[in-house]
Amino acid sequence: MPEFDLAIRGGTVVTASDTVRADIGVCGGRIVAVAEGIADAARVIDASGLLVLPGGIDSHVHIAQDPGPGIVMADDFASATRAAAAGGNTCVMPFAVQPRGGSLRQAVDAYRAKAEGQCHVDVAIHMIISDPSEAVLGQELPALVADGYTSFKVFMTYDDLVLNDRQLLDVFHVARRQGARVMVHAEGYDAIRYLSDRLERAGETKPYGHALSRPEVVEREAAHRAISHAELIDLPIVIVHVSGREATEQIAWAQARGLKIRAETCPQYLTLTAEHMKGLGLDDPMAGAKYVCSPPPRDQESQEAVWSGIRRGIFDVVSSDHSPFRYDDPQGKLNPRGKTSFRWIPNGIPGVETRLPVFFSEGVSKGRISLNQFAALTATNHAKLYGLYPRKGSIAPGFDADLTLWDPNRRETIRQETLHHGSDYTPWEGFDVTGWPVMTIAGGQVIAEDGKVLSAPGRGRVLDRAVDPAERRDV
Ligand code: DUC
Ligand code: ZN
Ligand code: ZN
């Protein structure tokens, strides 16, 4: 009997802290050895010339959510996790959404049932709290956190999700007591509505109006408010999908004051701009809708400010905020109301499959960040923030054998026709990258190789997590 199920030989192993030439031995889906000269294995993968990184963890994806009447999300669990695997990911974290007036527990149970048996990669479920009733705050939320759903997102905008300040404070309070991790969508609801009304009255209804209705000040104000609420309760929140200079400055300011504010950004804020929503150079006047997401991408100055924040350690994670809709579809971006005003264009872009190559190319290949920073920002810190560490997020004995092999020199052009997601477009069509995830290994199994997904749906598990007891505090 060979000693290992799998050996990955001759690669350069990269973690958040080290870069070493080493072989990896895998048994029973876990890493059992990182050493030189591992040979005795049932299967040997030759990784010479390649980098071996922790499998990507995308801690912010929207899959199979119900966006409301007449709109359908483009990915179910099977297609989103298939795309994730092809793009070098081994774990994704989507959201179970509590409907207003409905039970959080029922929403989580139903969402989990949808995921079970469908996933190519492991999944850990966050919650979205839209209605923090007494029952939710007093019973459902504490019980769900104890059951392994240890993180949730709250929104400061959107008609069907927005929480007012008192509600934010109430959920922050429960999170502090339970040790749960809170993600905050920071954009101010009333300011967006005021601006949207004015734009519509002025006839500015095209997709670019979306960017005009959500300027940076709207995000900056909400980020500052969320930070202030978190300070009141001494809660370490994550401000998600930070889009530009102004919100980055608020977070840097809070961190410099010693507040435990964590931050996430996404490739769209590093590579796209609001100009894309004008659809310039595209023959279809609605094509800007392909880029409508919230917060909107900004300008080059803001991109540089976010890169600088990444280099200075202000950001912990780079996620995709994958939120896929089809473009040429009456149930997608071009729904009948969406054609009348930017206000009705479903928010979100597909990105789970392109996050890693775009960020590797723009970050590592262009010399903006190190390989170790890349590993931290795309895997290790996600696992640490959301209770998956030390099971996931690094390469060492005891960790799940979730690994991505990268060819750092391979050049590719991103094309919709080669992607696996359910959308009919990618915002990065024609984008040239250097560096490519050539093989994804999850639990010691090769699940994707050279753009082909080899696993069956159901291979990935739905994971439960536990809170760090040190994060629980009576307030
Ligand atoms: N904005 C969100 O808040 N979520 C999904 C996508 C988006 O654009
Ligand atoms: Zn959001
Ligand atoms: Zn989101």
Side-chain angles (χ1 to χ4, degrees):
M1 276 279 282
E3 191 181 347
F4 300 103
D5 300 338
L6 172 69
I8 299 155
R9 304 199 62 212
T12 300
V13 175
V14 179
T15 65
S17 53
D18 297 295
T19 305
V20 288
R21 291 296 291 270
D23 302 342
I24 298 171
V26 174
C27 265
R30 299 240 168 156
I31 297 168
V32 291
V34 180
E36 266 182 70
I38 290 176
D40 186 20
R43 178 171 182 188
V44 175
I45 291 170
D46 178 10
S48 13
L50 301 178
L51 305 170
V52 186
L53 276 101
I57 301 175
D58 194 340
S59 59
H60 188 159
V61 299
H62 300 272
I63 302 173
Q65 280 180 213
D66 176 8
I71 312 288
V72 177
M73 218 168 224
D75 272 319
D76 57 17
F77 279 96
S79 63
T81 59
R82 181 180 68 205
N89 300 280
T90 51
C91 182
V92 297
M93 301 187 70
F95 298 85
V97 187
Q98 179 204 13
R100 281 261 164 89
S103 150
L104 181 60
R105 167 70 72 179
Q106 275 173 18
V108 169
D109 288 348
Y111 195 65
R112 185 176 184 132
K114 261 198 217 177
E116 296 280 9
Q118 298 303 313
C119 298
H120 292 265
V121 303
D122 288 348
V123 164
I125 295 174
H126 304 292
M127 302 173 283
I128 286 175
I129 297 174
S130 68
D131 191 355
S133 61
E134 264 180 47
V136 166
L137 295 173
Q139 286 110 47
E140 289 199 324
L141 186 51
L144 283 158
V145 173
D147 285 353
Y149 304 98
T150 60
S151 49
F152 59 85
K153 183 175 176 187
V154 289
F155 286 78
M156 299 173 77
T157 190
Y158 291 131
D159 292 338
D160 48 351
L161 297 173
V162 59
L163 302 190
N164 64 34
D165 287 338
R166 175 57 196 263
Q167 291 172 318
L168 288 171
L169 287 161
D170 285 339
V171 291
F172 283 13
H173 179 96
V174 175
R176 190 70 183 110
R177 290 180 68 133
Q178 302 301 325
R181 184 69 77 206
V182 182
M183 309 160 80
V184 180
H185 179 123
E187 287 186 298
Y189 179 61
D190 285 314
I192 293 169
R193 283 208 310 171
Y194 163 78
L195 290 169
S196 300
D197 290 347
R198 284 189 52 158
L199 286 159
E200 279 184 350
R201 277 203 298 274
E204 188 79 60
T205 55
K206 295 219 178 64
Y208 184 65
H210 177 76
L212 300 176
S213 72
R214 304 169 104 106
E216 282 203 46
V217 60
V218 165
E219 185 186 13
R220 183 235 291 165
E221 179 277 327
H224 187 86
R225 193 154 34 100
I227 288 165
S228 307
H229 294 345
E231 179 177 0
L232 265 181
I233 292 173
D234 187 27
L235 178 75
I237 57 170
V238 187
I239 307 226
V240 294
H241 45 50
V242 173
S243 72
R245 181 175 59 78
E246 299 207 17
T248 303
E249 282 170 359
Q250 295 300 310
I251 293 159
W253 169 83
Q255 291 174 350
R257 295 182 73 215
L259 302 178
K260 298 174 210 131
I261 304 297
R262 320 295 293 269
E264 173 203 82
T265 190
C266 315
Q268 47 271 38
Y269 307 119
L270 299 167
T271 57
L272 306 178
T273 69
E275 293 293 298
H276 283 92
M277 273 168 273
K278 291 184 175 164
L280 298 176
L282 304 165
D283 36 11
D284 172 355
M286 282 301 290
K290 292 180 179 177
Y291 302 89
V292 166
C293 60
S294 292
R298 308 295 181 183
D299 57 18
Q300 262 175 353
E301 187 217 324
S302 260
Q303 290 177 1
E304 285 314 315
V306 178
W307 278 116
S308 160
I310 287 174
R311 280 193 299 273
R312 287 181 288 142
I314 287 161
F315 290 94
D316 300 276
V317 287
V318 173
S319 309
S320 67
D321 196 11
H322 181 73
S323 182
F325 296 94
R326 289 173 56 79
Y327 171 66
D328 196 6
D329 191 324
Q331 293 186 312
K333 294 281 188 183
L334 297 189
N335 71 86
R337 287 166 99 196
K339 287 185 181 167
T340 65
S341 162
F342 64 84
R343 196 197 286 259
W344 308 112
I345 298 170
N347 280 202
I349 58 174
V352 73
E353 194 167 355
T354 47
R355 171 186 73 128
L356 292 174
V358 168
F359 186 53
F360 187 102
S361 184
E362 293 295 307
V364 177
S365 303
K366 292 201 171 162
R368 290 177 165 122
I369 58 168
S370 69
L371 274 170
N372 310 99
Q373 284 173 305
F374 179 81
L377 289 157
T378 59
T380 317
N381 293 350
H382 298 253
K384 287 184 173 172
L385 260 186
Y386 297 114
L388 294 167
Y389 198 86
R391 180 173 179 185
K392 293 193 180 289
S394 193
I395 301 176
F399 280 81
D400 284 356
D402 290 357
L403 305 160
T404 304
L405 272 49
W406 285 80
D407 180 344
N409 302 313
R410 179 153 155 187
R411 290 174 178 221
E412 288 283 344
T413 301
I414 291 176
R415 299 269 178 226
Q416 163 65 14
E417 67 207 32
T418 62
L419 297 178
H420 299 75
H421 60 206
S423 270
D424 56 353
Y425 76 97
T426 166
W428 285 277
E429 183 70 37
F431 194 91
D432 292 320
V433 295
T434 302
W436 194 252
V438 292
M439 184 184 285
T440 312
I441 298 170
Q445 263 181 268
V446 178
I447 61 165
E449 185 171 6
D450 248 337
K452 285 199 183 57
V453 176
L454 306 173
S455 52
R459 195 217 62 80
R461 298 152 301 170
V462 180
L463 306 173
D464 297 318
R465 293 165 287 146
V467 296
D468 174 357
E471 298 280 340
R472 297 177 71 134
R473 169 125 24 113
D474 238 339
V475 281

